[in-house]
Amino acid sequence: MNVVQAQDQIAQPGRSELELAAVLHALSDPMRLRIVAALAATEEQPSCGAFDLPVTKSTCTHHFKVLREAGVISQRQHGTARLNSLRRGDLDARFPGLLDSVLRAA
Amino acid sequence: MNVVQAQDQIAQPGRSELELAAVLHALSDPMRLRIVAALAATEEQPSCGAFDLPVTKSTCTHHFKVLREAGVISQRQHGTARLNSLRRGDLDARFPGLLDSVLRAA
DNA sequence: CTCCTTGTACGATGGTTGTCGTACCGTAGC
DNA sequence: GCTACGGTACGACAACCATCGTACAAGGAG
């Protein structure tokens, strides 16, 4: 699996590795949909703990990992915090319109 | 669960019952993605057996059931055959652009 | 150095999923 | 009636998933 490795960037699939089924699966969970929607609504790069999700920390870690491994989000280590951002550009390039329609529906 | 029951139409969720997470989950399987793509590419209403899928009949039944219960497809009984069609109108109304972007990417 | 914060790792658990096989049912044609 | 065909129902099974709890690692603040 080709990965993009830049400074404190956590491993993630490259743009050409993105798979539709994997992305759809990552988005098919209400908790993850909520994370993605919150991420799309801000200009910042919130840490994992900033989402106030109704699950424990370990479950949280799990969901962020699923989203990152599917290529939906990108994570950067910054001190003890892990900063998250949506991979809008890569998603729009591979699956034009998909992210927008999901966000509009969510 | 409100269902639309018309003549030989099999039970399915009404337009307002469609849930984004359920639709995304239904579309997140390669076999079902293949079914939906084939369904979108024809004007006809093919029977379940007309798809030539590399799985057994029972698995086939399972996938069509998942798609129908998520509201992605509609099934009509016609003799011994079950005719399938995409619920384009309902999907476009509830999740504008979603189906198109998925089909374009698949 | 010591604590607090942020988050991961690992194991467990109950539930869901994709697949199959066999048995069955209803319609159509002979 | 009987047989073929298209499809469902049910049970089984291995794999996966969302969730949790506990234990642990690393950076920042005092």
Side-chain angles (χ1 to χ4, degrees), chain B residues 25 29 31-32 55-56 58-59 62-63 66 79-80:
Chain B
H25 174 247
D29 180 275
M31 204 66 61
R32 293 195 288 265
V55 289
T56 61
S58 23
T59 304
H62 164 70
H63 286 308
V66 171
T80 73

Short mmCIF file of all heavy atoms in Angstrom, two decimals, chain B residues 25 29 31-32 55-56 58-59 62-63 66 79-80, chain C residues 16-28:
data_model
loop_
_atom_site.label_atom_id
_atom_site.label_comp_id
_atom_site.label_asym_id
_atom_site.label_seq_id
_atom_site.Cartn_x
_atom_site.Cartn_y
_atom_site.Cartn_z
N HIS B 25 -24.37 2.06 3.50
CA HIS B 25 -23.97 0.71 3.85
C HIS B 25 -24.35 -0.28 2.75
O HIS B 25 -23.57 -1.15 2.39
CB HIS B 25 -24.60 0.28 5.16
CG HIS B 25 -24.35 -1.14 5.50
ND1 HIS B 25 -25.34 -2.09 5.52
CD2 HIS B 25 -23.19 -1.80 5.76
CE1 HIS B 25 -24.80 -3.27 5.81
NE2 HIS B 25 -23.51 -3.12 5.97
N ASP B 29 -20.72 -2.53 -0.61
CA ASP B 29 -20.29 -3.89 -0.93
C ASP B 29 -20.07 -4.00 -2.45
O ASP B 29 -20.95 -3.61 -3.23
CB ASP B 29 -21.36 -4.88 -0.48
CG ASP B 29 -20.96 -6.31 -0.80
OD1 ASP B 29 -21.22 -6.74 -1.94
OD2 ASP B 29 -20.37 -6.96 0.07
N MET B 31 -20.22 -6.39 -4.57
CA MET B 31 -21.23 -7.13 -5.32
C MET B 31 -22.47 -6.28 -5.53
O MET B 31 -23.05 -6.26 -6.62
CB MET B 31 -21.58 -8.40 -4.53
CG MET B 31 -22.15 -9.52 -5.37
SD MET B 31 -20.95 -10.18 -6.55
CE MET B 31 -19.70 -10.77 -5.40
N ARG B 32 -22.88 -5.58 -4.50
CA ARG B 32 -24.08 -4.74 -4.61
C ARG B 32 -23.81 -3.52 -5.48
O ARG B 32 -24.69 -3.07 -6.23
CB ARG B 32 -24.55 -4.33 -3.21
CG ARG B 32 -25.06 -5.50 -2.40
CD ARG B 32 -25.85 -5.05 -1.19
NE ARG B 32 -25.06 -4.48 -0.12
CZ ARG B 32 -24.61 -5.16 0.92
NH1 ARG B 32 -24.88 -6.45 1.04
NH2 ARG B 32 -23.92 -4.57 1.86
N VAL B 55 -21.77 -15.56 -7.43
CA VAL B 55 -22.17 -16.10 -6.12
C VAL B 55 -23.37 -17.00 -6.32
O VAL B 55 -23.99 -17.00 -7.39
CB VAL B 55 -22.52 -14.97 -5.13
CG1 VAL B 55 -21.28 -14.22 -4.69
CG2 VAL B 55 -23.53 -14.03 -5.73
N THR B 56 -23.72 -17.74 -5.29
CA THR B 56 -24.85 -18.66 -5.40
C THR B 56 -26.18 -17.90 -5.36
O THR B 56 -26.22 -16.72 -5.04
CB THR B 56 -24.83 -19.67 -4.24
OG1 THR B 56 -24.95 -18.96 -3.02
CG2 THR B 56 -23.55 -20.48 -4.25
N SER B 58 -28.65 -18.12 -3.26
CA SER B 58 -29.07 -17.61 -1.95
C SER B 58 -28.34 -16.32 -1.59
O SER B 58 -28.94 -15.41 -1.01
CB SER B 58 -28.90 -18.66 -0.87
OG SER B 58 -27.96 -19.62 -1.21
N THR B 59 -27.07 -16.26 -1.92
CA THR B 59 -26.32 -15.03 -1.65
C THR B 59 -26.90 -13.89 -2.47
O THR B 59 -27.02 -12.76 -2.00
CB THR B 59 -24.84 -15.22 -2.01
OG1 THR B 59 -24.33 -16.34 -1.28
CG2 THR B 59 -24.03 -13.99 -1.67
N HIS B 62 -29.91 -12.57 -0.89
CA HIS B 62 -29.50 -11.74 0.25
C HIS B 62 -29.17 -10.31 -0.18
O HIS B 62 -29.67 -9.35 0.40
CB HIS B 62 -28.30 -12.40 0.95
CG HIS B 62 -27.56 -11.48 1.87
ND1 HIS B 62 -28.09 -11.05 3.06
CD2 HIS B 62 -26.34 -10.91 1.76
CE1 HIS B 62 -27.21 -10.26 3.66
NE2 HIS B 62 -26.15 -10.16 2.90
N HIS B 63 -28.34 -10.17 -1.22
CA HIS B 63 -27.90 -8.84 -1.65
C HIS B 63 -29.07 -8.00 -2.17
O HIS B 63 -29.17 -6.82 -1.86
CB HIS B 63 -26.82 -8.96 -2.72
CG HIS B 63 -25.50 -9.38 -2.18
ND1 HIS B 63 -24.88 -8.73 -1.13
CD2 HIS B 63 -24.65 -10.38 -2.52
CE1 HIS B 63 -23.71 -9.31 -0.86
NE2 HIS B 63 -23.56 -10.32 -1.69
N VAL B 66 -30.97 -6.73 0.80
CA VAL B 66 -30.30 -5.61 1.47
C VAL B 66 -30.54 -4.32 0.69
O VAL B 66 -30.89 -3.28 1.27
CB VAL B 66 -28.79 -5.88 1.60
CG1 VAL B 66 -28.05 -4.64 2.07
CG2 VAL B 66 -28.52 -7.03 2.55
N GLY B 79 -44.84 -13.19 -12.33
CA GLY B 79 -44.73 -14.63 -12.51
C GLY B 79 -43.78 -15.18 -11.47
O GLY B 79 -43.86 -14.82 -10.31
N THR B 80 -42.83 -16.00 -11.90
CA THR B 80 -41.84 -16.51 -10.94
C THR B 80 -40.66 -15.55 -10.81
O THR B 80 -39.85 -15.70 -9.93
CB THR B 80 -41.31 -17.87 -11.40
OG1 THR B 80 -40.44 -17.67 -12.52
CG2 THR B 80 -42.44 -18.78 -11.81
P DT C 16 -27.75 -7.06 15.62
OP1 DT C 16 -28.60 -5.86 15.58
OP2 DT C 16 -28.34 -8.40 15.78
"O5'" DT C 16 -26.87 -7.06 14.30
"C5'" DT C 16 -25.97 -5.97 14.08
"C4'" DT C 16 -25.04 -6.31 12.95
"O4'" DT C 16 -24.13 -7.35 13.35
"C3'" DT C 16 -25.75 -6.82 11.69
"O3'" DT C 16 -25.39 -5.97 10.61
"C2'" DT C 16 -25.23 -8.25 11.53
"C1'" DT C 16 -23.88 -8.17 12.23
N1 DT C 16 -23.34 -9.46 12.73
C2 DT C 16 -22.13 -9.91 12.25
O2 DT C 16 -21.48 -9.30 11.41
N3 DT C 16 -21.70 -11.10 12.78
C4 DT C 16 -22.34 -11.88 13.71
O4 DT C 16 -21.86 -12.93 14.12
C5 DT C 16 -23.61 -11.35 14.17
C7 DT C 16 -24.40 -12.12 15.18
C6 DT C 16 -24.05 -10.18 13.67
P DT C 17 -26.03 -6.14 9.18
OP1 DT C 17 -26.19 -4.81 8.58
OP2 DT C 17 -27.18 -7.05 9.30
"O5'" DT C 17 -24.87 -6.90 8.40
"C5'" DT C 17 -23.51 -6.53 8.63
"C4'" DT C 17 -22.61 -7.38 7.77
"O4'" DT C 17 -22.22 -8.57 8.47
"C3'" DT C 17 -23.26 -7.84 6.46
"O3'" DT C 17 -22.32 -7.69 5.44
"C2'" DT C 17 -23.57 -9.31 6.73
"C1'" DT C 17 -22.43 -9.70 7.65
N1 DT C 17 -22.71 -10.84 8.56
C2 DT C 17 -21.76 -11.83 8.71
O2 DT C 17 -20.70 -11.81 8.13
N3 DT C 17 -22.11 -12.82 9.58
C4 DT C 17 -23.29 -12.93 10.30
O4 DT C 17 -23.48 -13.87 11.06
C5 DT C 17 -24.24 -11.87 10.10
C7 DT C 17 -25.54 -11.88 10.81
C6 DT C 17 -23.92 -10.88 9.24
P DG C 18 -22.75 -7.63 3.92
OP1 DG C 18 -22.15 -6.42 3.36
OP2 DG C 18 -24.21 -7.85 3.86
"O5'" DG C 18 -22.05 -8.91 3.26
"C5'" DG C 18 -20.64 -8.98 3.25
"C4'" DG C 18 -20.22 -10.38 2.85
"O4'" DG C 18 -20.54 -11.30 3.92
"C3'" DG C 18 -20.92 -10.91 1.59
"O3'" DG C 18 -19.93 -11.49 0.74
"C2'" DG C 18 -21.90 -11.96 2.12
"C1'" DG C 18 -21.25 -12.41 3.42
N9 DG C 18 -22.20 -12.82 4.45
C8 DG C 18 -23.38 -12.21 4.78
N7 DG C 18 -24.01 -12.78 5.77
C5 DG C 18 -23.19 -13.84 6.11
C6 DG C 18 -23.36 -14.83 7.11
O6 DG C 18 -24.28 -14.98 7.91
N1 DG C 18 -22.29 -15.73 7.13
C2 DG C 18 -21.21 -15.68 6.28
N2 DG C 18 -20.28 -16.62 6.45
N3 DG C 18 -21.05 -14.77 5.34
C4 DG C 18 -22.07 -13.88 5.31
P DT C 19 -20.33 -12.05 -0.71
OP1 DT C 19 -19.14 -11.86 -1.57
OP2 DT C 19 -21.64 -11.51 -1.11
"O5'" DT C 19 -20.48 -13.61 -0.47
"C5'" DT C 19 -19.37 -14.37 0.03
"C4'" DT C 19 -19.81 -15.71 0.53
"O4'" DT C 19 -20.59 -15.57 1.73
"C3'" DT C 19 -20.75 -16.49 -0.40
"O3'" DT C 19 -19.98 -17.28 -1.31
"C2'" DT C 19 -21.54 -17.37 0.56
"C1'" DT C 19 -21.25 -16.80 1.93
N1 DT C 19 -22.48 -16.54 2.71
C2 DT C 19 -22.80 -17.41 3.73
O2 DT C 19 -22.13 -18.37 4.01
N3 DT C 19 -23.98 -17.10 4.39
C4 DT C 19 -24.81 -16.04 4.14
O4 DT C 19 -25.83 -15.88 4.80
C5 DT C 19 -24.41 -15.18 3.06
C7 DT C 19 -25.25 -13.99 2.71
C6 DT C 19 -23.28 -15.46 2.41
P DC C 20 -20.73 -18.15 -2.43
OP1 DC C 20 -19.71 -18.62 -3.38
OP2 DC C 20 -21.90 -17.41 -2.93
"O5'" DC C 20 -21.25 -19.39 -1.59
"C5'" DC C 20 -20.30 -20.24 -0.96
"C4'" DC C 20 -21.03 -21.26 -0.09
"O4'" DC C 20 -21.82 -20.56 0.88
"C3'" DC C 20 -22.00 -22.14 -0.87
"O3'" DC C 20 -21.43 -23.43 -1.05
"C2'" DC C 20 -23.25 -22.19 0.00
"C1'" DC C 20 -22.91 -21.37 1.22
N1 DC C 20 -24.03 -20.48 1.62
C2 DC C 20 -24.75 -20.75 2.79
O2 DC C 20 -24.44 -21.73 3.47
N3 DC C 20 -25.78 -19.94 3.14
C4 DC C 20 -26.09 -18.90 2.38
N4 DC C 20 -27.10 -18.13 2.76
C5 DC C 20 -25.37 -18.60 1.18
C6 DC C 20 -24.36 -19.41 0.85
P DG C 21 -22.12 -24.48 -2.05
OP1 DG C 21 -21.07 -25.42 -2.48
OP2 DG C 21 -22.92 -23.74 -3.06
"O5'" DG C 21 -23.15 -25.25 -1.09
"C5'" DG C 21 -22.69 -25.78 0.15
"C4'" DG C 21 -23.82 -26.51 0.86
"O4'" DG C 21 -24.67 -25.55 1.53
"C3'" DG C 21 -24.74 -27.31 -0.08
"O3'" DG C 21 -25.08 -28.55 0.52
"C2'" DG C 21 -25.96 -26.42 -0.24
"C1'" DG C 21 -26.01 -25.68 1.09
N9 DG C 21 -26.58 -24.34 0.96
C8 DG C 21 -26.27 -23.40 0.01
N7 DG C 21 -26.93 -22.29 0.14
C5 DG C 21 -27.73 -22.50 1.25
C6 DG C 21 -28.65 -21.63 1.88
O6 DG C 21 -28.98 -20.48 1.57
N1 DG C 21 -29.26 -22.24 2.99
C2 DG C 21 -28.99 -23.52 3.43
N2 DG C 21 -29.65 -23.92 4.51
N3 DG C 21 -28.11 -24.34 2.87
C4 DG C 21 -27.52 -23.76 1.77
P DT C 22 -25.75 -29.70 -0.41
OP1 DT C 22 -24.95 -30.90 -0.20
OP2 DT C 22 -26.00 -29.19 -1.77
"O5'" DT C 22 -27.17 -29.88 0.30
"C5'" DT C 22 -27.27 -29.69 1.70
"C4'" DT C 22 -28.72 -29.41 2.09
"O4'" DT C 22 -29.00 -28.01 1.97
"C3'" DT C 22 -29.76 -30.13 1.22
"O3'" DT C 22 -30.68 -30.80 2.05
"C2'" DT C 22 -30.40 -29.01 0.41
"C1'" DT C 22 -30.26 -27.84 1.38
N1 DT C 22 -30.29 -26.51 0.72
C2 DT C 22 -31.07 -25.51 1.25
O2 DT C 22 -31.76 -25.66 2.24
N3 DT C 22 -31.03 -24.31 0.58
C4 DT C 22 -30.29 -24.03 -0.56
O4 DT C 22 -30.34 -22.92 -1.08
C5 DT C 22 -29.50 -25.12 -1.08
C7 DT C 22 -28.67 -24.92 -2.30
C6 DT C 22 -29.52 -26.30 -0.42
P DA C 23 -31.85 -31.73 1.39
OP1 DA C 23 -31.82 -33.01 2.13
OP2 DA C 23 -31.70 -31.72 -0.08
"O5'" DA C 23 -33.18 -30.95 1.77
"C5'" DA C 23 -33.28 -30.31 3.04
"C4'" DA C 23 -34.41 -29.29 3.01
"O4'" DA C 23 -33.97 -28.08 2.34
"C3'" DA C 23 -35.65 -29.79 2.26
"O3'" DA C 23 -36.81 -29.54 3.05
"C2'" DA C 23 -35.65 -28.96 0.98
"C1'" DA C 23 -34.98 -27.67 1.44
N9 DA C 23 -34.36 -26.93 0.35
C8 DA C 23 -33.45 -27.40 -0.56
N7 DA C 23 -33.06 -26.51 -1.43
C5 DA C 23 -33.76 -25.37 -1.08
C6 DA C 23 -33.80 -24.07 -1.61
N6 DA C 23 -33.08 -23.69 -2.67
N1 DA C 23 -34.62 -23.17 -1.02
C2 DA C 23 -35.34 -23.56 0.05
N3 DA C 23 -35.39 -24.76 0.64
C4 DA C 23 -34.57 -25.61 0.02
P DC C 24 -38.23 -30.15 2.58
OP1 DC C 24 -38.99 -30.49 3.80
OP2 DC C 24 -37.98 -31.17 1.53
"O5'" DC C 24 -38.96 -28.90 1.91
"C5'" DC C 24 -39.28 -27.78 2.71
"C4'" DC C 24 -39.57 -26.58 1.83
"O4'" DC C 24 -38.46 -26.36 0.93
"C3'" DC C 24 -40.80 -26.71 0.92
"O3'" DC C 24 -41.85 -25.92 1.45
"C2'" DC C 24 -40.32 -26.18 -0.44
"C1'" DC C 24 -38.96 -25.58 -0.12
N1 DC C 24 -38.00 -25.63 -1.27
C2 DC C 24 -37.82 -24.50 -2.06
O2 DC C 24 -38.47 -23.48 -1.82
N3 DC C 24 -36.94 -24.55 -3.08
C4 DC C 24 -36.24 -25.66 -3.32
N4 DC C 24 -35.38 -25.67 -4.34
C5 DC C 24 -36.40 -26.84 -2.53
C6 DC C 24 -37.29 -26.78 -1.52
P DC C 25 -43.35 -26.20 0.98
OP1 DC C 25 -44.16 -26.16 2.22
OP2 DC C 25 -43.37 -27.38 0.09
"O5'" DC C 25 -43.73 -24.93 0.11
"C5'" DC C 25 -43.28 -23.63 0.49
"C4'" DC C 25 -43.41 -22.68 -0.68
"O4'" DC C 25 -42.24 -22.78 -1.53
"C3'" DC C 25 -44.62 -22.96 -1.57
"O3'" DC C 25 -45.27 -21.75 -1.86
"C2'" DC C 25 -43.99 -23.55 -2.84
"C1'" DC C 25 -42.65 -22.83 -2.87
N1 DC C 25 -41.58 -23.52 -3.64
C2 DC C 25 -40.92 -22.84 -4.67
O2 DC C 25 -41.24 -21.68 -4.94
N3 DC C 25 -39.94 -23.47 -5.36
C4 DC C 25 -39.61 -24.73 -5.05
N4 DC C 25 -38.63 -25.31 -5.74
C5 DC C 25 -40.26 -25.44 -4.00
C6 DC C 25 -41.24 -24.81 -3.33
P DG C 26 -46.82 -21.76 -2.26
OP1 DG C 26 -47.51 -20.89 -1.28
OP2 DG C 26 -47.25 -23.16 -2.48
"O5'" DG C 26 -46.84 -21.02 -3.68
"C5'" DG C 26 -46.23 -19.75 -3.80
"C4'" DG C 26 -45.95 -19.43 -5.26
"O4'" DG C 26 -44.85 -20.23 -5.74
"C3'" DG C 26 -47.12 -19.71 -6.21
"O3'" DG C 26 -47.14 -18.67 -7.17
"C2'" DG C 26 -46.73 -21.05 -6.84
"C1'" DG C 26 -45.22 -20.89 -6.93
N9 DG C 26 -44.47 -22.15 -6.96
C8 DG C 26 -44.70 -23.28 -6.21
N7 DG C 26 -43.84 -24.24 -6.44
C5 DG C 26 -43.00 -23.72 -7.42
C6 DG C 26 -41.88 -24.29 -8.07
O6 DG C 26 -41.39 -25.41 -7.91
N1 DG C 26 -41.31 -23.41 -9.00
C2 DG C 26 -41.77 -22.14 -9.25
N2 DG C 26 -41.11 -21.45 -10.16
N3 DG C 26 -42.82 -21.58 -8.64
C4 DG C 26 -43.37 -22.43 -7.74
P DT C 27 -48.49 -18.36 -7.98
OP1 DT C 27 -48.85 -16.96 -7.68
OP2 DT C 27 -49.45 -19.48 -7.74
"O5'" DT C 27 -48.03 -18.42 -9.50
"C5'" DT C 27 -46.92 -17.62 -9.91
"C4'" DT C 27 -46.24 -18.26 -11.10
"O4'" DT C 27 -45.62 -19.51 -10.71
"C3'" DT C 27 -47.17 -18.59 -12.26
"O3'" DT C 27 -46.75 -17.83 -13.38
"C2'" DT C 27 -47.00 -20.10 -12.48
"C1'" DT C 27 -45.63 -20.35 -11.84
N1 DT C 27 -45.35 -21.72 -11.33
C2 DT C 27 -44.28 -22.41 -11.85
O2 DT C 27 -43.54 -21.96 -12.71
N3 DT C 27 -44.08 -23.66 -11.31
C4 DT C 27 -44.85 -24.28 -10.34
O4 DT C 27 -44.57 -25.41 -9.94
C5 DT C 27 -45.96 -23.51 -9.85
C7 DT C 27 -46.86 -24.10 -8.82
C6 DT C 27 -46.17 -22.27 -10.36
P DA C 28 -47.65 -17.73 -14.70
OP1 DA C 28 -47.56 -16.33 -15.21
OP2 DA C 28 -48.95 -18.35 -14.42
"O5'" DA C 28 -46.83 -18.66 -15.70
"C5'" DA C 28 -45.41 -18.56 -15.70
"C4'" DA C 28 -44.81 -19.59 -16.62
"O4'" DA C 28 -44.59 -20.83 -15.90
"C3'" DA C 28 -45.68 -19.94 -17.82
"O3'" DA C 28 -44.85 -20.02 -18.97
"C2'" DA C 28 -46.29 -21.29 -17.44
"C1'" DA C 28 -45.19 -21.91 -16.57
N9 DA C 28 -45.70 -22.80 -15.54
C8 DA C 28 -46.78 -22.62 -14.72
N7 DA C 28 -46.99 -23.60 -13.87
C5 DA C 28 -45.97 -24.49 -14.15
C6 DA C 28 -45.63 -25.74 -13.60
N6 DA C 28 -46.31 -26.31 -12.60
N1 DA C 28 -44.56 -26.38 -14.10
C2 DA C 28 -43.86 -25.81 -15.10
N3 DA C 28 -44.09 -24.63 -15.69
C4 DA C 28 -45.17 -24.02 -15.17
#
